[in-house]
Amino acid sequence: MANQIVLIGYEQLLRDLKDRIRLAQVKAALAVNRELVLLYWHIGREILQRQGQEGWGTKVIERLAKDLKQEFPEMKGFSRTNLLYMRAFAEAWDDEQIVQQIVGQIPWGHNVRLLDKASNRKERLWYAQQAIANGWSRAVLEHQIETKLYQRQGKAITNFVTTLLPQPQSDLAQQLIKDPYSFDFLSLAQNAQERDLEKALLDHIRIFLLELGVGFAFVGSQYHLEVGGDDFYIDLLFYHLKLRCYIVIDLKMTEFKPEYSGKMSFYVSVVDDLLRHPDDKPTIGIILCKSRNQTVAEYALRDVNKPIAVSQFKHELPESLQSVLPSIEQLEAELATVEVIESDRL
């Protein structure tokens, strides 16, 4: 019995120490990364200033790269290309505080992708903040930029202003719903039906959750509801951890039709009555269509008293992007790695 007590105490001690060591490792890695990014920013700023004040040409960068590599042979990152990125980095971010507090929290490789692919400062800052909040890998960040997440976020047609109160709840819900959703990771036939789309999404549920955004927890597909002795089935049912509400998704392989809002209002009402906990916020419905006429959708939602959004989805990947975007396998591998890291931290 005494040995058992000692063993139990030891196991708890070991768990506590592991957690402390992992936390220290994460903090140390973040601190090292922040210092490295800040160093690169200072180098880039010096190059910018000297070229501006002294009239130095671009050849000085090649010379500087050679001298720095000779002085610090054990350090990587002093190539001519990387020094050019440092200069561009300092030019993009003239505020040291932003470098320390935001872009310094993501790896240098992420910052290089932002310089290459995001078109302006506001967009780069938004992607940097999302990468920090969601723990995006470099491949996931690149995927989000290439599919223009910044332009799509919060663009769905909704009636949230009148159906979701207080205002912060409606604003948050609006920002979380995109238009269009990018299903470029799917291979769908021209004559695909709703069930084909649903199956394809479920086959790649992790990528689908990535596209939906942080906070979506999958509850079920063809979720059964019994109403007045009749059976009904919701295409996809989710729970949003931040909004604290159920989210019903109805998939349509056609253009939006006004009658879709009535069906969705019915589903939302039933979920509110049968599944919603007293502490949950009102259930939200998303009608996900192949296309939609904005004016028709706005009229269809105007007098509906349940919170509903109408969004489009697209699944045709332009040939110009096929060679640049990470493959489904790469994205799934990246997400699996993130999940392992997160589970280790728990």
Side-chain angles (χ1 to χ4, degrees):
M1 186 69 177
N3 288 340
Q4 187 179 1
I5 294 173
V6 171
L7 180 61
I8 293 173
Y10 174 80
E11 291 296 331
Q12 183 60 50
L13 171 65
L14 183 60
R15 280 195 296 271
D16 291 344
L17 290 178
K18 284 180 179 179
D19 290 341
R20 188 178 293 273
I21 291 169
R22 287 192 181 106
L23 181 60
Q25 287 176 327
V26 171
K27 287 183 176 179
L30 289 173
V32 169
N33 177 78
R34 187 163 50 247
E35 287 303 316
L36 180 66
V37 172
L38 191 59
L39 170 66
Y40 285 173
W41 181 79
H42 280 291
I43 292 173
R45 189 179 63 168
E46 286 294 327
I47 293 172
L48 269 178
Q49 290 178 346
R50 294 303 177 95
Q51 286 185 325
Q53 295 170 4
E54 310 294 338
W56 291 355
T58 55
K59 285 188 176 180
V60 71
I61 293 178
E62 191 170 339
R63 178 178 174 182
L64 193 58
K66 181 180 177 181
D67 290 340
L68 288 175
K69 282 192 287 187
Q70 185 175 345
E71 182 66 26
F72 303 100
E74 74 287 355
M75 288 185 68
K76 297 180 180 179
F78 291 137
S79 66
R80 177 182 179 277
T81 300
N82 214 35
L83 286 175
L84 287 170
Y85 273 121
M86 293 177 203
R87 184 180 68 178
F89 183 61
E91 194 169 22
W93 306 107
D94 55 1
D95 188 341
E96 184 173 354
Q97 191 172 3
I98 289 181
V99 177
Q100 289 180 320
Q101 296 180 355
I102 301 177
V103 295
Q105 293 187 49
I106 59 176
W108 177 243
H110 284 54
N111 279 298
V112 169
R113 291 298 181 275
L114 290 176
L115 292 173
D116 282 341
K117 298 185 177 297
S119 59
N120 58 65
R121 178 189 175 99
K122 186 177 180 181
E123 188 175 334
R124 290 186 193 110
L125 185 60
W126 186 87
Y127 279 116
Q129 291 169 329
Q130 294 300 310
I132 295 166
N134 302 320
W136 288 344
S137 68
R138 192 185 309 177
V140 171
L141 172 64
E142 189 167 351
H143 174 77
Q144 300 289 27
I145 298 173
E146 292 289 356
T147 57
K148 301 185 182 302
L149 177 61
Y150 177 74
Q151 287 82 0
R152 297 185 289 121
Q153 201 83 2
K155 296 298 189 294
I157 297 171
T158 77
N159 60 357
F160 293 167
V161 172
T162 57
T163 58
L164 284 179
L165 297 173
Q167 198 69 32
Q169 180 77 359
S170 64
D171 290 344
L172 177 58
Q174 182 72 48
Q175 286 306 309
L176 288 172
I177 299 179
K178 308 164 188 172
D179 186 63
Y181 283 85
S182 175
F183 293 165
D184 293 339
F185 55 90
L186 301 181
S187 297
L188 293 174
Q190 288 294 326
N191 59 349
Q193 302 299 311
E194 278 87 359
R195 285 297 182 90
D196 300 319
L197 174 60
E198 180 186 324
K199 183 181 183 304
L201 291 173
L202 294 175
D203 286 344
H204 300 292
I205 186 65
R206 286 194 299 188
I207 309 299
F208 182 34
L209 287 170
L210 171 66
E211 175 59 19
L212 287 176
V214 67
F216 280 83
F218 180 60
V219 177
S221 64
Q222 292 302 306
Y223 193 91
H224 176 243
L225 299 171
E226 184 179 340
V227 182
D230 291 335
D231 295 320
F232 298 89
Y233 296 89
I234 293 173
D235 286 344
L236 297 167
L237 182 63
F238 293 86
Y239 188 85
H240 200 280
L241 301 175
K242 194 169 184 180
L243 291 173
R244 310 303 297 179
C245 71
Y246 283 100
I247 294 184
V248 176
I249 295 183
D250 199 18
L251 301 172
K252 298 295 181 185
M253 290 296 289
T254 61
E255 184 176 21
F256 173 79
K257 298 176 182 177
E259 53 264 35
Y260 294 164
S261 60
K263 180 183 176 184
M264 178 56 79
S265 181
F266 168 78
Y267 283 152
V268 170
S269 295
V270 175
V271 171
D272 273 341
D273 284 352
L274 299 185
L275 301 179
R276 179 183 170 192
H277 187 274
D279 294 335
D280 287 340
K281 302 294 184 183
T283 301
I284 292 173
I286 302 176
I287 303 169
L288 204 48
C289 301
K290 196 168 186 179
S291 63
R292 55 117 177 96
N293 180 296
Q294 181 167 339
T295 305
V296 171
E298 288 172 349
Y299 271 116
L301 297 185
R302 178 181 291 181
D303 295 320
V304 176
N305 62 3
K306 295 295 181 182
I308 296 175
V310 177
S311 288
Q312 306 167 99
F313 67 86
K314 62 182 183 69
H315 64 89
E316 294 180 359
L317 183 62
E319 290 185 8
S320 59
L321 292 183
Q322 289 179 359
S323 61
V324 217
L325 284 179
S327 66
I328 294 174
E329 291 75 16
Q330 286 176 309
L331 284 173
E332 289 182 335
E334 294 282 358
L335 288 172
T337 303
V338 171
E339 287 171 3
V340 168
I341 293 172
E342 289 299 324
S343 65
D344 283 346
R345 291 179 185 174
L346 296 178

